[in-house]
Amino acid sequence: MNSSLVGNQSGRPFCLLAISYLETINFCLLEVVIIVFLMVLIISGNIIVIFVFHCAPLLNHHTTSYFIQTMAYADLLVGVSCLVPSLSLLHYPIVLSESLVCQIFGYVVSVLKSVSMASLACISIDRYIAITKPLTYNTLVTPWRLRICILTIWLYSCLVFLPSFHWGKPGYHGDVFQWCANSWNTDPYFTLFIVVMLYAPAAFIVCFTYFNIFRICQQHTKEINERRVRFSSQDGEAGEAQPCPDKRYAMVLFRITSVFYILWLPYIIYFLLESSNVYSNRVTSFLTTWLAISNSFCNCVIYSLSNSVFQKGLKRLSGAICASCARQRVAKDSSTSRSKRSSNGCHV
């Protein structure tokens, strides 16, 4: 804390990653580059995901598309909210006080990432129901119930982090603000409250459902292969092993969930260590926070690389954009050629 105050007295900006800064630069260059780079990736990636879902009706065949789109909208808002710390690091004047901006930003980003975490848990429950109760799935999981579930996710996320304005810091999203780093501390009881109400239930649900999903799929694959071998031996033809069809789609969702928790694990560990006064470091705080926020872009990459229907929708979207550009180019060329012909006719 003393070092940061000394830095302010000397006229240098408050920077968490103050590494080899030039005296002529009056803002936190490295932090701005990291945040703006992630902001561009997150916004562009999630806009593409949202457009592809609208261009590919087959993606809406799965009920999990509701939760995937909810995550895409939440991640898009995370990217938009990153504009706030980037403007602060650039010393852009903000109308509200720094403490209020810091608290609002930390609350908003925490709520949005809570929506993503809860959506992943709901996706795993949805797949678990689809595999364990395939005959009654359509009656249990209806569009109306899905909308109620998504609304509940948003309301629950907003309520869980609401005490942060009086109880303590919900995370390290606002540490780019000096007031957040120096004056807004975490509270061990509030940390325990968040773990009990959000982190632990979501992690338990994901582990339980995917463990049982893959166990059931493994049993189904074994039974299908045994039947194929039995019938193929009777016909005198060799049977090939066939994977469980539900396992392929579950693997895509499992990759998204795994990457989410891998990127968020350093943040959660540091959050717990700092709250219990075991370890505190501003550089670690910044890096773990923005590593966790980078997950908002990773979901787009994983889904686009793993889902064949999404890839077709992406090709369809890019094809439509290219066709529109080509039509505009042809129209421009034709108008140019007409203007040349008319000008030549005037001079004859």
Side-chain angles (χ1 to χ4, degrees):
M1 184 181 296
N2 294 331
S3 61
S4 64
L5 293 174
V6 171
N8 291 335
Q9 292 173 359
S10 63
R12 297 196 63 178
F14 174 75
C15 302
L16 293 170
L17 304 179
I19 303 172
S20 301
Y21 284 108
L22 299 175
E23 296 293 335
T24 55
I25 297 177
N26 195 32
F27 58 86
C28 306
L29 179 63
L30 187 55
E31 286 91 333
V32 170
V33 170
I34 293 173
I35 294 175
V36 172
F37 178 71
L38 286 177
M39 182 178 67
V40 172
L41 288 181
I42 291 170
I43 292 175
S44 58
N46 285 285
I47 286 176
I48 291 173
V49 169
I50 292 169
F51 272 109
V52 169
F53 267 95
H54 285 288
C55 292
L58 287 175
L59 284 170
N60 295 318
H61 176 69
H62 293 283
T63 54
T64 51
S65 65
Y66 286 84
F67 297 110
I68 294 291
Q69 291 182 70
T70 300
M71 290 174 57
Y73 281 108
D75 291 336
L76 177 62
L77 292 175
V78 169
V80 173
S81 65
C82 290
L83 184 64
V84 175
S86 61
L87 291 177
S88 174
L89 291 170
L90 287 169
H91 291 235
Y92 191 84
I94 299 176
V95 178
L96 301 175
S97 63
E98 185 183 39
S99 60
L100 183 60
V101 172
C102 164
Q103 288 179 316
I104 293 175
F105 176 72
Y107 172 77
V108 168
V109 177
S110 298
V111 168
L112 293 174
K113 298 316 296 179
S114 172
V115 170
S116 296
M117 190 176 294
S119 297
L120 288 172
C122 290
I123 287 173
S124 64
I125 294 173
D126 175 81
R127 290 297 89 199
Y128 179 77
I129 296 173
I131 292 175
T132 56
K133 299 181 179 180
L135 299 179
T136 58
Y137 174 79
N138 290 329
T139 57
L140 292 173
V141 182
T142 61
W144 181 81
R145 289 180 178 176
L146 288 172
R147 294 187 184 97
I148 294 296
C149 182
I150 291 171
L151 180 61
T152 304
I153 288 173
W154 282 95
L155 291 176
Y156 183 79
S157 300
C158 292
L159 291 174
V160 165
F161 287 98
L162 195 59
S164 64
F165 289 97
H166 300 285
W167 205 344
K169 188 188 297 183
Y172 294 90
H173 306 293
D175 268 358
V176 294
F177 301 100
Q178 187 174 0
W179 185 87
C180 283
N182 294 337
S183 304
W184 199 23
N185 300 318
T186 55
D187 186 281
Y189 294 104
F190 184 52
T191 302
L192 180 63
F193 173 76
I194 294 175
V195 169
V196 171
M197 298 299 291
L198 181 63
Y199 295 157
F204 174 78
I205 289 172
V206 166
C207 293
F208 174 81
T209 51
Y210 278 113
F211 173 79
N212 285 280
I213 284 171
F214 290 119
R215 181 178 60 83
I216 294 170
C217 283
Q218 194 172 17
Q219 292 177 351
H220 287 178
T221 303
K222 184 178 179 181
E223 292 174 359
I224 292 171
N225 291 337
E226 287 177 353
R227 291 175 184 175
R228 288 180 64 86
V229 170
R230 190 184 309 118
F231 286 111
S232 61
S233 61
Q234 294 175 358
D235 298 335
E237 297 178 357
E240 297 181 358
Q242 295 292 327
C244 176
D246 292 320
K247 187 177 181 179
R248 209 175 292 115
Y249 189 68
M251 278 299 298
V252 177
L253 303 173
F254 179 72
R255 291 189 193 105
I256 293 176
T257 307
S258 300
V259 171
F260 181 92
Y261 280 98
I262 288 171
L263 294 178
W264 272 84
L265 187 61
Y267 164 81
I268 294 173
I269 292 175
Y270 181 73
F271 185 37
L272 296 174
L273 292 177
E274 205 281 338
S275 299
S276 56
N277 296 320
V278 175
Y279 176 74
S280 178
N281 183 274
R282 289 179 178 173
V283 175
T284 307
S285 164
F286 180 87
L287 294 178
T288 54
T289 296
W290 292 98
L291 177 67
I293 290 177
S294 68
N295 174 77
S296 297
F297 172 71
C298 294
N299 292 339
C300 318
V301 177
I302 296 169
Y303 208 73
S304 61
L305 293 178
S306 304
N307 191 288
S308 58
V309 179
F310 186 90
Q311 293 171 3
K312 292 177 182 178
L314 186 59
K315 290 179 181 178
R316 180 179 176 182
L317 177 62
S318 59
I321 294 173
C322 292
S324 177
C325 293
R327 285 195 297 269
Q328 291 179 358
R329 193 181 298 112
V330 170
K332 184 179 179 180
D333 292 341
S334 60
S335 62
T336 303
S337 61
R338 283 197 300 269
S339 63
K340 286 183 178 179
R341 285 197 298 268
S342 61
S343 60
N344 291 333
C346 291
H347 288 290
V348 172

